[in-house]
Amino acid sequence: MNQHITSAMSQAFGRFASKEHKKYFQNIINRSYVRMMGLDMSEFDAPDTYPTLNALFTRKFRHKRSFSSDPKDMISPCDSLITECGKIEDDTALQIKGMRYSVDEVLGEGISDDAKKSIHNGTFVNFYLSPRDYHRYHAPIDMQVLHAVHIPGKLYPVNIPSLKKQVNLFIENERVVLECLSGEGKRFFMILVGALNVGKMVVSFEPRIQTNSNALNPSQYSYRELYLSKGDDFGCFMMGSTIVMLCEQEMVEFGISTGHKVSFAQTIGRLTF
């Protein structure tokens, strides 16, 4: 399979965003991006302190956000817009209203049939991170990571207009699938979906995953004792993108709806154990 043009375009943008330009020019780039996108920098360092545009994209908080310590509370893994959420009907979920996709297909061949079946008739949430959002992602609960699967693919935009017109966008785009367990042994998946101009999707616990590269075949990684605590930072998008969460039946009752804007650390659901 030849590299798709969306991947080539995104690699070119990634090289520009990763380049450390002369200080005065970098300051112009950073300030222009903040102004153009309307970034709220109140929780972050000043734009002039970031040596590259990617450093600005992947900025960290000056002070950690607080969140509920109740182990039953699930928090949002990111700052985002909820583009869709609801019940998985058999193996079908919504990309956006009127546009469905198969969760089995989005999980890919690297996930076992039994693991796929465990989330049939469960629940799903699609988190869309716009270019103005905080780009890092965090563990929504205390969790164990069983597998990570990198699936190369295209890099179509994942904004609302694209979700409405591009059939099977989540299935065609590059993605990283994380198979996880809650503390009570309930299975869920976090799927990091690439998008146009996403220079990289970084998974901090698995440096072998190199996205937006020349990889053409899926790669799989398994773990025996990999645990993340609620709120742990485990990577970032280098531009806006989407996280899809797929949960087993009777694992969580979500308190959010389509169209809600959520922030990392905000309680979005309650585990039902």
Side-chain angles (χ1 to χ4, degrees), residues 47-215:
D48 293 356
T49 63
Y50 298 97
T52 66
L53 192 53
N54 265 340
L56 175 61
F57 292 158
T58 60
R59 61 196 179 275
K60 295 186 177 183
F61 297 116
R62 282 200 307 270
H63 307 289
K64 290 184 177 180
R65 284 183 183 170
S66 59
F67 52 82
S68 171
S69 60
D70 187 332
K72 284 194 170 185
D73 283 341
M74 175 182 282
I75 62 173
S76 174
C78 56
D79 288 6
S80 62
L81 174 70
I82 306 301
T83 53
E84 277 295 347
C85 63
K87 181 177 174 59
I88 302 168
E89 297 180 359
D90 293 325
D91 79 327
T92 303
L94 287 177
Q95 179 173 292
I96 203 162
K97 187 176 181 179
M99 190 82 75
R100 298 177 177 275
Y101 68 92
S102 162
V103 297
D104 288 358
E105 289 186 52
V106 81
L107 292 173
E109 297 179 0
I111 301 299
S112 72
D113 289 343
D114 286 343
K116 290 175 181 176
K117 289 177 182 177
S118 71
I119 60 161
H120 288 188
N121 298 305
T123 51
F124 75 94
V125 184
N126 303 338
F127 302 87
Y128 168 63
L129 294 78
S130 78
R132 71 174 60 89
D133 285 320
Y134 167 70
H135 291 74
R136 307 196 71 82
Y137 28 81
H138 300 254
I141 57 173
D142 293 339
M143 61 195 239
Q144 181 181 3
V145 182
L146 301 178
H147 300 102
V149 183
H150 172 217
I151 305 173
K154 301 168 184 175
L155 289 171
Y156 292 119
V158 293
N159 53 25
I160 300 297
S162 297
L163 290 173
K164 290 180 176 178
K165 68 181 182 182
Q166 185 66 48
V167 178
N168 287 334
L169 191 153
F170 293 158
I171 294 170
E172 290 198 37
N173 270 22
E174 180 174 29
R175 57 203 183 275
V176 176
V177 177
L178 303 179
E179 182 181 352
C180 311
L181 293 178
S182 71
E184 297 299 309
K186 291 286 189 178
R187 194 177 310 271
F188 69 102
F189 294 89
M190 295 184 71
I191 304 166
L192 313 174
V193 183
L196 187 69
N197 289 339
V198 176
K200 292 284 183 180
M201 291 182 285
V202 176
V203 181
S204 57
F205 59 77
E206 187 47 82
R208 290 174 292 181
I209 292 177
Q210 294 295 315
T211 64
N212 196 10
S213 65
N214 294 321

